[in-house]
C-alpha cells in the first residue's frame, strides 16, 4: 500500500481522470443558478415555479436513465484494458442504439405520462401551465441527452476524461448563453429556457460525436459499417446490466424524493433549511463523483487486462485522494458551515434551523465517500446485480431508521440519510472484501455475460 502511495504516476493517473470530471461537474449547479436568475427576473413568480416543476420532471427522468453512462463506462473500460478493439466499437454502437430506442419510447409516451404526473401536483394552474410547456419542449432533447450519457461513458472508459469535461462545459455554456438570449433578449419566457436546453443538448451531442470520431481514429477501431451487424449480439448483456443499475437508481431516487416530500410536512423553516443543506449534499456528490468516475475507468481497465496488482494500485490511489477530499469537506462544514448557510440565506429563522442539523451534514463526506468509491468499483467491474441488491438493503435501512426515529422529526430524516449512505458502503464493502479474498472478483467481473 505504501509503495503504491509513493508512486507519482499512480497519482497522476487518478487526477488525470478525476480532476476534469470534478471541474465539469461544477458547471451543473452553475447552470441551475443561471436558469433561476434569468427566469426569476420575469414579472411573475409562476414562470420560475413552472421551470422548477417541469425541470424536475425532466431531470428525474433523464437521471433515472443515467445507467447508460455507467454501463458504457464499465464495458468500454474493460474492452480498453483487454485491447479488444471489436468490443470497444460494439460497446459504443450498442449503447447508442439503446439510448435512441429509449428516447423514442419517451417521445412516444411523454404526453400521457406528463398528464398523469401533473394530475397529482398541487401547484397553481399557472405553474402547471408553464411546467407543461417547459416539459413538452425539453422532452425533444431526449435523443441527444441520452446519447450524451453513452458518449461520456465510452470516452471515460477509454481513459479520456478531458473530452467529457469539455462536452459538459461547452453544453452548459451554450445553454447559459441561449437562456439569456431567448428569455431576456427575445422574450420567449419559459419556452425560451426549454428551447435553450434542447439546443444545448444537441450541440453537446454533435461535439461528443466529434470527440468519439477522433478517439476512434486514434485507436484504429474497426469501421462503423463493419460493426453494425454485430450490434444485436451483446445487446442482451447490456440490457441486463442496465436493468440492474436502473433498479438501483430508482431506489436512490426514492430515498431523496421521500426526504424532500416528508420534509415539506415539517414546516416552512425546516423545508428551507433542508433545501440549503441538500445543496451542500449535492456539492459533496459532485466532488466525490469525480473520483468515482476515475475509479470506474481505472478498475474496468485493470479488469479487462486481468491485472490484479494494477487493480490494487488503483484502489489504493483513488481511495487515498477521496479520503483527503472528504476530510477537507468535513472540516469545511464543521468550521465554516454556519457562514456558508448565511451566504445562501439571510433569513435568521432559516439560519437557526439549518444550524441544528449541520452536524449531520458534517458527517456526510466521510460516511458517503465509501459508497461513491465502491459504486465506482462495481460499475467498472460491470457487476450490476451486487449494486442492485446492496441498494435494496440500504433503502430498507433508510425507511427502518426513519420509522424508528420519526418522533424526532427532521433529525429522523437526516439520521436515515446518513444510515442509508453508510449501508450502501457497508453492503458493497462486504461483497467486495469476500470476492477479493476468495480471488473471484477479477475472474467473475464479467458475470453479466
Amino acid at each position: 500500500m505504501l509503495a503504491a502511495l509513493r508512486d507519482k504516476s499512480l497519482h497522476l493517473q487518478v487526477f488525470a481522470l478525476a480532476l476534469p470530471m470534478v471541474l465539469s461537474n461544477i458547471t451543473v449547479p452553475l447552470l441551475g443558478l443561471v436558469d433561476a436568475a434569468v427566469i426569476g427576473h420575469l414579472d411573475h413568480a409562476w414562470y420560475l415555479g413552472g421551470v422548477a416543476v417541469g425541470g424536475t420532471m425532466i431531470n428525474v427522468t433523464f437521471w433515472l436513465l443515467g445507467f447508460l453512462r455507467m454501463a458504457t463506462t464499465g464495458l468500454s473500460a474493460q474492452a480498453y484494458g483487454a485491447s479488444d478493439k471489436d468490443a470497444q466499437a460494439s460497446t459504443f454502437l450498442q449503447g447508442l442504439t439503446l439510448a435512441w430506442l429509449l428516447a423514442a419510447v419517451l417521445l412516444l409516451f411523454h404526453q400521457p405520462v406528463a398528464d398523469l404526473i401533473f394530475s397529482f401536483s398541487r401547484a397553481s394552474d399557472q405553474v402547471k401551465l408553464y411546467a407543461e410547456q417547459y416539459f413538452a419542449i425539453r422532452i425533444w432533447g431526449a435523443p441527444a441527452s441520452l446519447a450524451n450519457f453513452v458518449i461520456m461513458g465510452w470516452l471515460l472508459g477509454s481513459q479520456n476524461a478531458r473530452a467529457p469535461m469539455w462536452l459538459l462545459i461547452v453544453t452548459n455554456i451554450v445553454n447559459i448563453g441561449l437562456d439569456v438570449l431567448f428569455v431576456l433578449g427575445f422574450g420567449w419566457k419559459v419556452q425560451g429556457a426549454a428551447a435553450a436546453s434542447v439546443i444545448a443538448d444537441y450541440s453537446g451531442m454533435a461535439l461528443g460525436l466529434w470527440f468519439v470520431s477522433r478517439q476512434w481514429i486514434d485507436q484504429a477501431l474497426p469501421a462503423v459499417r463493419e460493426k453494425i451487424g454485430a450490434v444485436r449480439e451483446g445487446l442482451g448483456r447490456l440490457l441486463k446490466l442496465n436493468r440492474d443499475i436502473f433498479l438501483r437508481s430508482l431506489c436512490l431516487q426514492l430515498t431523496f424524493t421521500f426526504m424532500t416530500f416528508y420534509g415539506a410536512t415539517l414546516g416552512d423553516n425546516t423545508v428551507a433549511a433542508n433545501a440549503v443543506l441538500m445543496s451542500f449534499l449535492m456539492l459533496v456528490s459532485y466532488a466525490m463523483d469525480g473520483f468515482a468516475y476515475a475509479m470506474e475507468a481505472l478498475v474496468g481497465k485493470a479488469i479487462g487486462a486481468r491485472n490484479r496488482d494494477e487493480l490494487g494500485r488503483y484502489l489504493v490511489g483513488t481511495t487515498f485522494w477521496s479520503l483527503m477530499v472528504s476530510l477537507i469537506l468535513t472540516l469545511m462544514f464543521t468550521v465554516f458551515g454556519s457562514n456558508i448557510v448565511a451566504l445562501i440565506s439571510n433569513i435568521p429563522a432559516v439560519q437557526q434551523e439549518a444550524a441544528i442539523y449541520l452536524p449531520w451534514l458534517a458527517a456526510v463526506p466521510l460516511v458517503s465517500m465509501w459508497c461513491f468509491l465502491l459504486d465506482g468499483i462495481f460499475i467498472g467491474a460491470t457487476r450490476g446485480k451486487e449494486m442492485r441488491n446492496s441498494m435494496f438493503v440500504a433503502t430498507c435501512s433508510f425507511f427502518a431508521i426513519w420509522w424508528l426515529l420519526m418522533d424526532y422529526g427532521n433529525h429522523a430524516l437526516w439520521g436515515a440519510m446518513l444510515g442509508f449512505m453508510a449501508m450502501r458502503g457497508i453492503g458493497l464493502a462486504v461483497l467486495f472484501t469476500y470476492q477479493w479474498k476468495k480471488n473471484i472478483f477479477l475472474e467473475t467481473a464479467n458475470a453479466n455475460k
Side-chain angles (χ1 to χ4, degrees), residues 383-428:
R383 300 189 70 92
K385 182 179 178 180
E386 286 88 340
M387 295 177 65
R388 180 199 67 195
N389 292 344
S390 65
M391 184 62 81
F392 283 165
V393 173
T395 303
C396 291
S397 299
F398 172 88
F399 286 104
I401 294 170
W402 168 77
W403 184 78
L404 290 171
L405 301 177
M406 62 186 301
D407 290 342
Y408 295 93
N410 203 40
H411 283 293
L413 283 178
W414 281 100
M417 179 56 68
L418 200 66
F420 170 70
M421 294 288 190
M423 284 305 299
R424 286 174 60 194
I426 291 170
L428 289 175

Side-chain angles (χ1 to χ4, degrees), residues 166-287:
W166 285 113
L167 190 156
L168 278 174
I169 290 174
V170 169
T171 298
N172 288 327
I173 288 176
V174 170
N175 201 336
I176 289 169
L178 292 179
D179 250 352
V180 175
L181 177 65
F182 291 169
V183 178
L184 300 182
F186 295 166
W188 292 353
K189 299 179 180 176
V190 170
Q191 294 95 326
S197 294
V198 171
I199 294 172
D201 285 338
Y202 281 99
S203 300
M205 184 180 72
L207 178 63
L209 290 174
W210 182 77
F211 282 137
V212 168
S213 69
R214 298 287 300 174
Q215 187 92 15
W216 206 284
I217 293 169
D218 289 345
Q219 294 183 215
L221 300 185
V224 171
R225 63 179 178 274
E226 296 176 8
K227 301 302 300 179
I228 290 178
V231 167
R232 292 173 54 190
E233 293 177 8
L235 207 54
R237 178 194 179 195
L238 185 60
L239 285 169
K240 182 181 178 182
L241 177 58
N242 281 325
R243 177 203 65 195
D244 290 334
I245 299 177
F246 169 76
L247 292 172
R248 168 253 183 206
S249 299
L250 196 61
C251 289
L252 185 61
Q253 187 62 42
L254 176 63
T255 59
F256 279 94
T257 301
F258 179 83
M259 186 163 182
T260 300
F261 278 85
Y262 185 80
T265 69
L266 300 177
D268 291 347
N269 289 336
T270 300
V271 172
N274 279 354
V276 172
L277 296 178
M278 287 298 284
S279 67
F280 293 168
L281 186 59
M282 291 301 104
L283 174 64
V284 174
S285 298
Y286 292 134

Side-chain angles (χ1 to χ4, degrees), residues 362-375:
V364 165
L366 285 174
V367 172
S368 65
M369 66 161 278
W370 304 105
C371 64
F372 281 103
L373 282 179
L374 285 156
D375 272 352

Side-chain angles (χ1 to χ4, degrees), residues 57 91 103 106 110 128 140 143 160 163 193 236 245 263 345 361 375 404:
M57 286 180 59
T91 295
L106 285 178
H110 80 274
K128 281 187 181 180
W140 291 98
N160 181 352
I245 299 177
S345 175
L361 186 72
D375 272 352
L404 290 171

Side-chain angles (χ1 to χ4, degrees), residues 62-386:
F62 290 167
W63 185 85
L64 285 173
L65 299 176
F67 55 72
L68 290 165
R69 185 206 62 77
M70 299 179 196
T72 304
T73 300
L75 293 171
S76 63
Q78 289 180 21
Y80 182 89
S83 299
D84 189 339
K85 295 183 179 182
D86 284 335
Q88 274 189 274
S90 296
T91 295
F92 177 74
L93 295 175
Q94 288 163 0
L96 198 60
T97 299
L98 182 58
W100 282 338
L101 286 173
L102 290 171
V105 172
L106 285 178
L107 293 177
L108 189 61
F109 294 105
H110 80 274
Q111 193 56 57
V113 170
D115 291 341
L116 177 64
I117 294 174
F118 282 120
S119 69
F120 290 104
S121 175
R122 296 182 180 179
S124 68
D125 291 340
Q126 292 91 342
V127 167
K128 281 187 181 180
L129 171 66
Y130 290 112
E132 289 170 353
Q133 288 182 0
Y134 185 89
F135 181 84
I137 295 172
R138 274 294 307 275
I139 197 66
W140 291 98
S145 292
L146 300 190
N148 286 339
F149 284 143
V150 174
I151 291 168
M152 287 182 60
W154 188 83
L155 289 168
L156 190 60
S158 300
Q159 313 300 298
N160 181 352
R162 290 188 178 183
M165 175 188 73
W166 285 113
L167 190 156
L168 278 174
I169 290 174
V170 169
T171 298
N172 288 327
I173 288 176
V174 170
N175 201 336
I176 289 169
L178 292 179
D179 250 352
V180 175
L181 177 65
F182 291 169
V183 178
L184 300 182
F186 295 166
W188 292 353
K189 299 179 180 176
V190 170
Q191 294 95 326
S197 294
V198 171
I199 294 172
D201 285 338
Y202 281 99
S203 300
M205 184 180 72
L207 178 63
L209 290 174
W210 182 77
F211 282 137
V212 168
S213 69
R214 298 287 300 174
Q215 187 92 15
W216 206 284
I217 293 169
D218 289 345
Q219 294 183 215
L221 300 185
V224 171
R225 63 179 178 274
E226 296 176 8
K227 301 302 300 179
I228 290 178
V231 167
R232 292 173 54 190
E233 293 177 8
L235 207 54
R237 178 194 179 195
L238 185 60
L239 285 169
K240 182 181 178 182
L241 177 58
N242 281 325
R243 177 203 65 195
D244 290 334
I245 299 177
F246 169 76
L247 292 172
R248 168 253 183 206
S249 299
L250 196 61
C251 289
L252 185 61
Q253 187 62 42
L254 176 63
T255 59
F256 279 94
T257 301
F258 179 83
M259 186 163 182
T260 300
F261 278 85
Y262 185 80
T265 69
L266 300 177
D268 291 347
N269 289 336
T270 300
V271 172
N274 279 354
V276 172
L277 296 178
M278 287 298 284
S279 67
F280 293 168
L281 186 59
M282 291 301 104
L283 174 64
V284 174
S285 298
Y286 292 134
M288 298 311 302
D289 264 345
F291 290 95
Y293 290 168
M295 186 72 91
E296 294 169 22
L298 293 171
V299 166
K301 176 187 173 186
I303 285 174
R306 298 296 187 197
N307 191 326
R308 182 183 173 91
D309 292 337
E310 187 176 84
L311 177 58
R313 288 177 64 254
Y314 292 151
L315 296 180
V316 169
T318 310
T319 301
F320 172 78
W321 284 109
S322 297
L323 182 60
M324 293 298 102
V325 171
S326 296
L327 287 170
I328 292 170
L329 288 172
T330 296
L331 182 64
M332 183 179 73
F333 290 148
T334 301
V335 178
F336 303 109
S338 298
N339 302 93
I340 300 173
V341 169
L343 290 175
I344 297 176
S345 175
N346 60 358
I347 303 172
V350 174
Q351 293 176 2
Q352 292 168 10
E353 190 75 12
I356 297 172
Y357 308 106
L358 268 174
W360 289 110
L361 186 72
V364 165
L366 285 174
V367 172
S368 65
M369 66 161 278
W370 304 105
C371 64
F372 281 103
L373 282 179
L374 285 156
D375 272 352
I377 292 171
F378 279 83
I379 288 170
T382 60
R383 300 189 70 92
K385 182 179 178 180
E386 286 88 340

